[in-house]
Amino acid sequence: MFRPKCVKGGKSMYIVMLGAPGSGKGSAAKILAKETSLPHISTGDIFREQIKKETELGKLADSYISKGQLVPDEITINIVTDRLNCGDATNGVILDGFPRTLEQAKALDAILKEKGKEITLVPEIVISDQVIIERILNRATCSNKECGAIYNIKFKPPKVEGVCDICGSPLSIRADDNEETIKKRLDVYRQTSKMLIEYYKKNGVWTSIVPDDPTAGNASEQVVATILQLTK
């Protein structure tokens, strides 16, 4: 059975990172988590870890993810609920990949309301599809889950090919990172995010962040700097 991993938390702040697959929200979320000492909760990372371990959850998730589809709300909500019940999430989290649907957003609000908490900010990173496809096709991730550094072979390559600059672990490329699946994921994001964005706009917590140069090596750092400024 899946059990969430808890880590040390920090400043009180609940951030929901939005953006199409490949927009850089994962990279920005990791940096933001370090800057704020808040736990980074990535449903994508959770599912990929379970898929790698070939658990029942992993097999179920893979049956959707491998086709470019979203894992059903009920499964995802239950996983995030368990994770938010960890003691380290008491003072805030950086959510990456959740919520992705209106139902998930409402469920998250209900979970936080029970804890006397609410969403602080919902930044959406906006870049073009052309750049997204090129970024994903050239993306490599550190295989060490404790590190998780993300590189781009074209825009932000490691110093040594195939090796993480930070911890020296091998870099890996996701099996589902191909152009056909990427386009499906972008279509799914557009279909599911419209109502989600309207919901957060209505609640007054949504903001759009457009990097000056999404191909720059420090694009994620620029996004994080903007978020920190907005949450002062």
Side-chain angles (χ1 to χ4, degrees):
M1 184 179 295
F2 170 75
R3 287 290 182 270
K5 179 181 178 181
C6 301
V7 297
K8 186 178 180 180
K11 180 182 177 183
S12 180
M13 188 162 59
Y14 289 86
I15 303 291
V16 171
M17 300 293 294
L18 288 186
S23 63
K25 69 179 184 299
S27 296
K30 285 182 174 68
I31 296 170
L32 184 60
K34 291 180 180 178
E35 290 289 329
T36 59
S37 296
L38 290 172
H40 169 218
I41 300 177
S42 166
T43 50
D45 285 350
I46 291 173
F47 288 138
R48 282 188 288 275
E49 182 179 0
Q50 297 301 305
I51 289 171
K52 184 177 180 180
K53 292 179 178 179
E54 299 184 342
T55 64
E56 289 303 313
L57 171 61
K59 292 175 183 177
L60 180 59
D62 191 44
S63 68
Y64 295 95
I65 296 173
S66 62
K67 299 174 185 177
Q69 301 172 353
L70 293 181
V71 177
D73 286 340
E74 182 180 0
I75 298 170
T76 309
I77 290 170
N78 286 338
I79 286 172
V80 174
T81 299
D82 286 345
R83 182 62 183 84
L84 289 174
N85 283 332
C86 281
D88 66 326
T90 301
N91 293 320
V93 296
I94 309 298
L95 284 162
D96 169 15
F98 181 92
R100 285 188 174 179
T101 66
L102 182 58
E103 183 177 341
Q104 290 179 10
K106 291 180 176 180
L108 175 60
D109 280 348
I111 294 167
L112 294 181
K113 186 176 181 180
E114 288 182 0
K115 300 175 182 297
K117 308 290 184 179
E118 61 183 9
I119 298 297
T120 306
L121 186 71
V122 181
E124 181 186 19
I125 304 174
V126 180
I127 63 176
S128 71
D129 285 4
Q130 181 180 353
V131 172
I132 284 177
I133 291 172
E134 192 168 10
R135 286 175 68 170
I136 294 180
L137 290 177
N138 288 283
R139 183 169 60 186
T141 307
C142 179
S143 57
N144 176 6
K145 296 301 180 183
E146 296 299 320
C147 176
I150 300 174
Y151 299 85
N152 187 285
I153 305 305
K154 183 175 181 179
F155 303 133
K156 189 181 178 182
K159 295 175 182 178
V160 178
E161 184 178 353
V163 180
C164 178
D165 293 347
I166 300 172
C167 70
S169 298
L171 300 182
S172 62
I173 296 175
R174 284 172 51 178
D176 60 342
D177 280 352
N178 58 73
E179 191 165 347
E180 182 181 356
T181 302
I182 294 168
K183 288 179 178 178
K184 287 182 180 178
R185 287 156 63 191
L186 289 173
D187 287 341
V188 169
Y189 177 75
R190 291 192 189 92
Q191 294 167 11
T192 59
S193 66
K194 186 175 180 180
M195 294 178 66
L196 184 63
I197 291 169
E198 288 301 319
Y199 177 77
Y200 282 128
K201 280 183 178 179
K202 184 178 179 181
N203 290 349
V205 292
W206 175 89
T207 187
S208 175
I209 299 179
V210 183
D212 292 334
D213 181 4
T215 65
N218 67 340
S220 295
E221 285 80 1
Q222 292 178 28
V223 169
V224 170
T226 301
I227 294 173
L228 292 175
Q229 184 64 35
L230 291 170
T231 54
K232 278 187 175 180

